[in-house]
Amino acid sequence: MFSELSGSNLWFNGKIIPWQEANIHIMTHALHYASSVYEGLRSYHGKIFKATEHYQRLHKSAAYLDFQIPYTSEELIEATQQLIIRDKYQYGYIRAIAWCGSKVMTVSHNGADVNVAIGIWERPLTYPSQYYSDGICMNIAQWRRPDPNTAPVHSKTAGLYPISSISKKEAEKQGFKDALMLDYQGNIAEATSSNIFLVINGQLYTPVPKCFLNGITRCTCLQIAKDAGIPTQEITLTLEDLNKAQEVFLTGTAIEILPVGSIVGHNKTWSFKPGLVTHTIRSNFQNMINNF
């Protein structure tokens, strides 16, 4: 049952319980109406990377959905650290989630109970070296990121992720590793669960996060680029800009820094090669996580 996704214990509403005993009621509001928000974090050598930023964003995500998390960021950090120490995780992937429970079963979640859980499992990066030397292959997704007037696009809410899920599954069925998501206006937005950067003539470009999440790893890479003296712009990017790009890479907590070798779609193939800027960003990021 728990072949790939398996851990020892979870933190559930203030208590540590065995992994297999973490259950919710079938009439949970979040299961029916997607009233849930979550965070993905990583631990390196038993320490949580960017813990404060992640848990502050969890609270902001819940606020977008108009419910309150009954634990402070500091309490959630402490709970996560307890799990890491208890089960001796070194390269743990951490999933924290808050959701409206079974007290209310109407479209509105007014008066709903709010639950919080944290799970961890060992998940070191195991990408083949070819991914870093050549980059991954992507296609262009059929589905687009929504207009910010139609959805809480700056919340990391489960309700927005079916777009990502079906787009990535379709990409994998066609032999690709991920999909490029366009926004509601047809501009470049991001990958299915990570942000995207283009390198054009030594300068770094990334889309403005108007209709998608401003990733924590994205922000980290922008700071790394600034510290390294790499010229950077956050601007509107179109598919035409892929014609000018020499390097492309993705950023995210789960994937860290992942180069892109090609993007296929709209009757065209764009090819790239990881170069100096990608290697500099990735190397400095590795130094950061090794020494924080």
Side-chain angles (χ1 to χ4, degrees), residues 29-93:
H29 190 278
L31 184 61
H32 295 255
Y33 296 111
S35 53
S36 65
V37 296
Y38 76 93
E39 280 294 319
L41 306 84
R42 275 195 177 276
S43 68
Y44 299 97
H45 305 294
K47 295 190 294 182
I48 313 166
F49 187 63
K50 300 282 184 178
T52 299
E53 291 89 335
H54 278 285
Y55 281 121
Q56 287 179 347
R57 187 172 67 180
L58 186 71
H59 278 267
K60 290 178 182 178
S61 292
Y64 275 113
L65 268 62
D66 198 18
F67 70 83
Q68 291 186 329
I69 295 173
Y71 301 95
T72 66
S73 295
E74 292 74 19
E75 288 173 324
L76 295 174
I77 292 171
E78 175 61 27
T80 306
Q81 198 64 60
Q82 286 179 22
L83 283 175
I84 291 172
I85 293 172
R86 181 187 180 106
D87 296 323
K88 300 180 176 60
Y89 289 109
Q90 289 297 305
Y91 297 95
Y93 183 79

Side-chain angles (χ1 to χ4, degrees), residues 17-245:
I17 63 172
W19 184 278
Q20 291 85 352
E21 293 181 14
N23 300 306
I24 61 172
H25 197 279
I26 197 67
M27 289 302 168
T28 293
H29 190 278
L31 184 61
H32 295 255
Y33 296 111
S35 53
S36 65
V37 296
Y38 76 93
E39 280 294 319
L41 306 84
R42 275 195 177 276
S43 68
Y44 299 97
H45 305 294
K47 295 190 294 182
I48 313 166
F49 187 63
K50 300 282 184 178
T52 299
E53 291 89 335
H54 278 285
Y55 281 121
Q56 287 179 347
R57 187 172 67 180
L58 186 71
H59 278 267
K60 290 178 182 178
S61 292
Y64 275 113
L65 268 62
D66 198 18
F67 70 83
Q68 291 186 329
I69 295 173
Y71 301 95
T72 66
S73 295
E74 292 74 19
E75 288 173 324
L76 295 174
I77 292 171
E78 175 61 27
T80 306
Q81 198 64 60
Q82 286 179 22
L83 283 175
I84 291 172
I85 293 172
R86 181 187 180 106
D87 296 323
K88 300 180 176 60
Y89 289 109
Q90 289 297 305
Y91 297 95
Y93 183 79
I94 302 155
R95 177 57 58 92
I97 185 167
W99 70 95
C100 295
S102 57
K103 184 178 178 181
V104 170
M105 184 45 65
T106 59
V107 174
S108 168
H109 57 272
N110 190 28
D113 54 314
V114 177
N115 302 272
V116 184
I118 303 168
I120 308 177
W121 59 98
E122 202 71 44
R123 187 185 174 186
L125 282 183
T126 56
Y127 292 134
S129 59
Q130 182 182 0
Y131 284 14
Y132 299 109
S133 60
D134 299 333
I136 65 166
C137 300
M138 303 174 64
N139 70 350
I140 298 177
Q142 169 190 353
W143 300 95
R144 296 188 175 188
R145 287 287 178 236
D147 184 323
N149 292 313
T150 66
V153 296
H154 300 299
S155 171
K156 196 171 179 68
T157 170
L160 287 172
Y161 275 82
I163 303 171
S164 298
S165 181
I166 59 177
S167 295
K168 185 159 188 179
K169 183 178 180 182
E170 182 59 32
E172 291 172 344
K173 284 164 59 178
Q174 296 181 30
F176 299 97
K177 294 298 180 183
D178 206 342
L180 175 66
M181 309 288 296
L182 305 181
D183 68 15
Y184 61 101
Q185 295 176 318
N187 300 312
I188 293 173
E190 58 175 352
T192 56
S193 60
S194 53
N195 295 120
I196 189 167
F197 286 80
L198 277 61
V199 181
I200 302 173
N201 299 326
Q203 297 194 53
L204 197 59
Y205 297 86
T206 192
V208 181
K210 293 179 180 179
C211 64
F212 56 89
L213 208 62
N214 182 15
I216 290 171
T217 309
R218 175 187 185 275
C219 294
T220 302
C221 285
L222 287 172
Q223 186 61 51
I224 288 173
K226 180 180 179 180
D227 294 342
I230 299 170
T232 304
Q233 289 190 55
E234 296 179 74
I235 62 172
T236 298
L237 293 170
T238 71
L239 291 176
E240 290 297 316
D241 290 306
L242 296 179
N243 295 322
K244 299 176 284 185

